[in-house]
Amino acid sequence: MTQSAKSLDRETVADRLLKGSIKRSYAPVVDIDWAAPLDEGKYFLPPQVLSLYGTPMWESMTEPQRIELSRQEAANILSVGIWFENILNQSLLRTLLHTDPSSLHTRYILTEMGDECRHMTMFGRAIEQMGAMPYKLRGYQAVGVNVLPKLFRGTMLWVAALIGEEIFDATQRRTLDDPQLQPMIKRLMQIHVTEEARHIRFAREGVRRRVAESHPIERLWVGSVNGVGGLLFRRLFTNPVMYRRAGLDSREARRQAWANPHFREVQRSGFASLAAFLDENGMLRLPSRVMWRRGGFL
Ligand SMILES: [Fe+2]
Ligand SMILES: [Fe+2]
C-alpha cells in the first residue's frame, strides 16, 4: 500500500490515540456536578456567539430574554450534537464489519464510539438540567439521519466527521472561558473539547490517508458535495422552533440572524481552520466553496 509522506500509518495513529484516551478521558456522570443549582444571571452560551447578538431584535430584548434565548440556542445545538454523534456512531459501527477486530485501528474506533455514547448522555442530561426541552427531528431531518450513516463511508466518512466536529469544537474553545457562562456548560465544553481533539486528529489522518489512496473521482465527488454541510448548518443553527420557545417572532428572528454580520463572523471563524485543511487536501472544490459561502461559513 502506498502512503504519502504526510499520511501516517493507521496503526501508528490508533496507537497514539489509544494512549491518549487512557490518559485523559472523562465520565460525565461523576465529572460534572449535576447537583449544583444553575447560576441565575449566567448565560448558557456566551452572548456574542448567539445568532441574534447585535441585531435590532437583540437590542430590544431584556437581559432575562437574552438569557432565555441562550438557553434555547444551547439546547438546540446540543440536540444537533446528539443527532450528529448518533449518525457518526452508526457509520463507524458499520465500518467495523470490514476491519480487523484485533487491530489497534478497530480498538480506537470502539473507544471513540464509547466517548460519543458518553457525550450523548451528557448532552441529554445537560438539556434537562438547563430547564430546556430537547429539539426533535422534523420530517426531512429524520430522513437525512436515517440515510446519512449509509452514505458516510471512505473519504466521505472522515470529511463528514470533521464537519460535524471541528466547527463546534473551534467555537467551544474560543468561548469556554467566558465568565458569563454557566459553570455546568463550561465543564461540559471542557470535557467535550478534550475528547474531541482526539476524534479530530483521527478524522484528519483519515482524510490524509484517503487522499493518498482513493480514486480521483471519489475525491472530486466528496470535495464537491461537502458544502451541503454549510447549507444544512445555517438552517439548523437558526431553528425557528428555538426562537418561538424563546418567545420571539420566529420568522423575523431567522431573517435577522441570517443577515447578522456578528453571527457570520462566528460561523466563519468556527470554520476557518477546517476550511484551510480541506483546501490543502483538495476537498474544497468550487461547488462546495459556493455552498459554504452561501451558508455563511466562508
Ligand atoms: Fe462528541
Ligand atoms: Fe467526536
Side-chain angles (χ1 to χ4, degrees), residues 85 116 119 192 196:
E85 296 192 341
E116 301 298 26
H119 296 169
H192 201 237
E196 287 301 320

Side-chain angles (χ1 to χ4, degrees), residues 201-243:
R201 232 173 303 150
F202 191 56
R204 281 193 171 206
E205 283 309 327
V207 169
R208 290 196 184 101
R209 201 171 48 241
R210 294 296 305 179
V211 164
E213 292 171 358
S214 63
H215 194 278
I217 293 187
E218 182 180 343
R219 301 202 295 272
L220 178 65
W221 162 249
V222 177
S224 301
V225 300
N226 69 67
V228 170
L231 300 177
L232 205 65
F233 279 168
R234 170 173 140 116
R235 299 192 73 83
L236 289 172
F237 293 163
T238 56
N239 183 353
V241 182
M242 163 184 104
Y243 298 123

Side-chain angles (χ1 to χ4, degrees), residues 45-101:
L45 281 177
Q48 61 282 6
V49 303
L50 297 176
S51 62
L52 290 176
Y53 178 76
T55 58
M57 206 170 219
W58 176 265
E59 296 309 329
S60 72
M61 288 160 75
T62 62
E63 183 75 0
Q65 281 175 324
R66 291 173 175 178
I67 290 176
E68 183 55 30
L69 176 67
S70 79
R71 188 199 318 270
Q72 297 307 333
E73 290 209 17
N76 180 56
I77 285 181
L78 292 172
S79 300
V80 172
I82 292 169
W83 305 340
F84 168 74
E85 296 192 341
N86 183 316
I87 294 170
L88 178 64
N89 267 11
Q90 288 187 53
S91 306
L92 291 173
L93 192 55
R94 296 175 82 91
T95 68
L96 293 187
L97 284 171
H98 313 288
T99 61
D100 171 0

Side-chain angles (χ1 to χ4, degrees), residues 18-257:
L18 279 165
K19 285 181 179 137
S21 306
I22 292 168
K23 251 190 264 161
R24 283 187 83 191
S25 286
Y26 294 90
V29 182
V30 289
D31 287 326
I32 290 183
D33 182 4
W34 298 104
L38 292 177
D39 200 333
E40 292 304 324
K42 292 220 163 163
Y43 280 78
F44 296 88
L45 281 177
Q48 61 282 6
V49 303
L50 297 176
S51 62
L52 290 176
Y53 178 76
T55 58
M57 206 170 219
W58 176 265
E59 296 309 329
S60 72
M61 288 160 75
T62 62
E63 183 75 0
Q65 281 175 324
R66 291 173 175 178
I67 290 176
E68 183 55 30
L69 176 67
S70 79
R71 188 199 318 270
Q72 297 307 333
E73 290 209 17
N76 180 56
I77 285 181
L78 292 172
S79 300
V80 172
I82 292 169
W83 305 340
F84 168 74
E85 296 192 341
N86 183 316
I87 294 170
L88 178 64
N89 267 11
Q90 288 187 53
S91 306
L92 291 173
L93 192 55
R94 296 175 82 91
T95 68
L96 293 187
L97 284 171
H98 313 288
T99 61
D100 171 0
S102 64
S103 67
L104 296 172
H105 180 73
T106 298
R107 265 165 55 193
Y108 181 70
I109 288 182
L110 285 165
T111 304
E112 176 162 322
M113 289 175 59
D115 293 347
E116 301 298 26
C117 283
R118 294 193 308 282
H119 296 169
M120 288 186 271
T121 311
M122 169 170 79
F123 291 171
R125 195 157 175 187
I127 292 172
E128 191 206 5
Q129 187 85 355
M130 283 160 45
M133 279 182 349
Y135 287 81
K136 289 197 182 135
L137 290 167
R138 283 176 293 165
Y140 76 95
Q141 296 167 336
V143 173
V145 167
N146 280 295
V147 172
L148 290 178
K150 290 162 196 117
L151 296 181
F152 290 172
R153 44 202 296 196
T155 311
M156 187 72 98
L157 169 60
W158 303 120
V159 169
L162 286 175
I163 291 171
E165 290 176 333
E166 273 214 51
I167 301 174
F168 287 106
D169 191 73
T171 307
Q172 282 174 29
R173 274 174 198 280
R174 269 194 316 129
T175 55
L176 63 82
D177 283 325
D178 194 300
Q180 287 169 284
L181 202 56
Q182 286 283 351
M184 185 263 289
I185 299 287
K186 179 188 166 90
R187 184 74 184 131
L188 174 149
M189 285 182 177
Q190 282 169 337
I191 291 174
H192 201 237
V193 154
T194 305
E195 299 190 332
E196 287 301 320
R198 294 192 291 267
H199 302 178
I200 290 169
R201 232 173 303 150
F202 191 56
R204 281 193 171 206
E205 283 309 327
V207 169
R208 290 196 184 101
R209 201 171 48 241
R210 294 296 305 179
V211 164
E213 292 171 358
S214 63
H215 194 278
I217 293 187
E218 182 180 343
R219 301 202 295 272
L220 178 65
W221 162 249
V222 177
S224 301
V225 300
N226 69 67
V228 170
L231 300 177
L232 205 65
F233 279 168
R234 170 173 140 116
R235 299 192 73 83
L236 289 172
F237 293 163
T238 56
N239 183 353
V241 182
M242 163 184 104
Y243 298 123
R244 216 171 302 138
R245 286 189 190 170
L248 301 168
D249 172 350
S250 58
R251 239 163 194 246
E252 181 56 19
R254 190 179 232 189
R255 196 191 63 75
Q256 293 197 17

